[in-house]
Amino acid sequence: MADPQPRRFRGLPRRRIAGREVPVAEGFGARLLGLALLPARRAGPGLLIPRCASVHTFGMRFALDLIFFTEGAEVVAVRRAVPPNRFTRCRGAASVLEVPLI
């Protein structure tokens, strides 16, 4: 049986974007931690962070693909296989989708 959804994602709205349904990081804990400190098997399909043009991967246990979107949900940039302990940003982005590489 799969691990239950991480507590920080429970009760969050969900959105379909980039072909996947993901939680939307609306709360403080979800925005602050993102997918950090989770084992890859509990990261799920990813996490959409609205009102965000930069992310860090400090505390990550696996690499991420980062997909940056405009306000209208058009892809601005993709950063593939970003390893732990990095900081990345995208000028002009309105949100970012963190997708775990497992």
Side-chain angles (χ1 to χ4, degrees), residues 10-51:
R10 292 182 192 154
L12 291 178
R14 298 184 71 78
R15 180 171 168 197
R16 188 154 199 66
I17 191 164
R20 57 186 64 222
E21 186 175 312
V22 296
V24 179
E26 291 289 338
F28 177 76
R31 288 183 67 82
L32 177 67
L33 293 174
L35 300 176
L37 306 176
L38 295 174
R41 71 180 185 283
R42 296 207 51 220
L47 179 69
L48 180 65
I49 306 172
R51 302 173 309 282

Side-chain angles (χ1 to χ4, degrees), residues 64-82:
L64 294 174
D65 279 348
L66 300 171
I67 306 169
F68 293 90
F69 296 93
T70 64
E71 192 68 40
E74 295 177 31
V75 175
V76 178
V78 176
R79 309 280 194 270
R80 299 214 181 266
V82 177

Side-chain angles (χ1 to χ4, degrees), residues 75-91:
V75 175
V76 178
V78 176
R79 309 280 194 270
R80 299 214 181 266
V82 177
N85 303 315
R86 300 293 194 277
F87 179 84
T88 188
R89 65 185 174 144
C90 176
R91 182 177 287 171

